[in-house]
Amino acid sequence: MDNSLPRHIAIIMDGNGRWAKKRFMPRSFGHRAGAQTLNKLLKEADKIGIEHITVYAFSTENWVRSDDEVNTLMNLLKEYIEDYIKDNSKSNIKIDAIGDLSRLDEDLQNKIKKLEKISSHKKGLNLHIGLNYGGRDEIVRAAKKIFEDIEKGNILKNDINENLFSSYLDTKNIPDPELVIRTSGEQRLSNFLLWQSSYSEFYFTDKLWPDFDIKELNNAIEQFKNRDRRFGGR
Ligand code: FPP
């Protein structure tokens, strides 16, 4: 195993809309291309030995987009899941969703459950899809669950520490991302994995998400390898 490789890469797949606009096409065209880019990338990342990829597919803030775009994204996700289930024997990738799934429509929630079940025995890369995901929302939901467990007497106030808190987050079984990638020239976290990215390295590229490719992934990993990670030490 290559110890200098990040085990977990988190990706903010930004720029689908602009990519479509440049081609005089609707935004949905860009999202569709973005989903294909993700699939290509997953295969490559699995090959080089990345263990986890978390993508921001739909944020708690994305509901304010037009009904048309929200529906497109939800339908695209359903299609993506259906395709995976149909061709499931061909894939090595294990998938689950993070975020507050209770706000998604029942059909999508059921599809996610089925997808997680079907892929649970896979041995390849773990893909975590952020759906109605927001870092602050995740932290608030964790705080509520901790409070409930204190009320029930399952834990004591003094048991609360960083490790315990982490175990109440959606990412409880996932190592923190060592590398966060954002495409399309924007340089902000936009409420993605707030707790988990405390010590992450960041890689920003002007490439729009549908144009992201293996070359760009390798650039990001190369830059990561050359960073001096001190974790607050010297
Ligand atoms: C940001 O680009 C992208 C999104 C809000 C959605 C990302 C979704 C996908 C790539 C496809 C579906 C995902 C899966 C897992 C199948 P933007 O629309 O904000 O682009 P813009 O900034 O150029 O307008």
Side-chain angles (χ1 to χ4, degrees):
M1 202 173 86
D2 180 353
N3 284 329
S4 59
L5 260 188
R7 285 183 70 193
H8 180 183
I9 302 179
I11 309 180
I12 304 176
M13 311 179 287
D14 201 2
N16 296 342
R18 276 162 285 170
W19 186 89
K21 195 169 177 208
K22 271 173 51 182
R23 287 161 181 77
F24 308 101
M25 294 296 278
R27 297 177 61 79
S28 56
F29 184 70
H31 293 314
R32 200 166 276 282
Q36 281 167 5
T37 297
L38 175 63
N39 271 343
K40 271 188 256 157
L41 196 78
L42 290 173
K43 286 202 189 92
E44 301 289 352
D46 190 32
K47 253 191 250 163
I48 56 180
I50 305 294
E51 293 171 50
H52 299 268
I53 289 206
T54 304
V55 291
Y56 211 4
F58 195 90
S59 77
T60 46
E61 287 72 37
N62 284 150
W63 296 105
V64 299
R65 295 193 178 201
S66 71
D67 288 352
D68 193 37
E69 183 165 0
V70 170
N71 286 337
T72 297
L73 280 166
M74 293 299 155
N75 287 332
L76 191 58
L77 284 158
K78 286 180 191 172
E79 240 181 75
Y80 187 84
I81 296 175
E82 280 162 8
D83 286 349
Y84 178 93
I85 293 173
K86 192 157 50 108
D87 294 333
N88 138 60
S89 60
K90 289 188 208 149
S91 180
N92 192 25
I93 289 168
K94 185 168 167 179
I95 312 183
D96 57 33
I98 60 166
D100 180 2
L101 307 182
S102 67
R103 198 177 158 186
L104 305 175
D105 75 46
E106 223 182 297
D107 180 34
L108 182 53
Q109 288 187 42
N110 288 335
K111 283 190 164 63
I112 294 168
K113 278 188 207 132
K114 192 167 170 194
L115 168 78
E116 290 182 338
K117 195 166 164 224
I118 283 185
S119 79
S120 62
H121 64 278
K122 301 280 183 185
K123 298 275 180 280
L125 182 147
N126 298 279
L127 171 66
H128 314 287
I129 305 180
L131 279 178
N132 191 30
Y133 176 85
R136 288 183 174 182
D137 179 68
E138 180 190 31
I139 291 168
V140 169
R141 284 187 288 108
K144 283 186 185 160
K145 283 185 254 170
I146 290 173
F147 184 76
E148 280 166 16
D149 269 349
I150 291 175
E151 276 194 326
K152 285 186 199 150
N154 294 340
I155 53 169
L156 299 170
K157 180 181 147 199
N158 279 342
D159 293 334
I160 303 176
N161 56 30
E162 291 186 12
N163 278 339
L164 180 116
F165 202 94
S166 296
S167 74
Y168 280 80
L169 295 170
D170 299 343
T171 51
K172 52 185 168 294
N173 299 319
I174 312 172
D176 287 343
E178 294 93 338
L179 175 62
V180 177
I181 294 176
R182 182 166 189 156
T183 57
S184 91
E186 311 294 347
Q187 303 195 353
R188 53 179 175 268
L189 198 49
S190 299
N191 206 11
F192 191 42
L193 301 177
L194 294 183
W195 173 282
Q196 299 85 344
S197 60
S198 295
Y199 283 101
S200 303
E201 297 293 328
F202 286 81
Y203 178 82
F204 298 112
T205 168
D206 287 339
K207 280 224 161 150
L208 303 174
W209 173 250
D211 292 328
F212 194 89
D213 55 14
I214 178 67
K215 197 167 149 238
E216 199 69 43
L217 178 69
N218 283 331
N219 278 345
I221 293 173
E222 268 323 296
Q223 269 204 24
F224 170 82
K225 287 181 174 173
N226 290 320
R227 303 263 175 98
D228 179 16
R229 305 188 77 211
R230 289 193 297 273
F231 303 98
R234 295 198 55 213

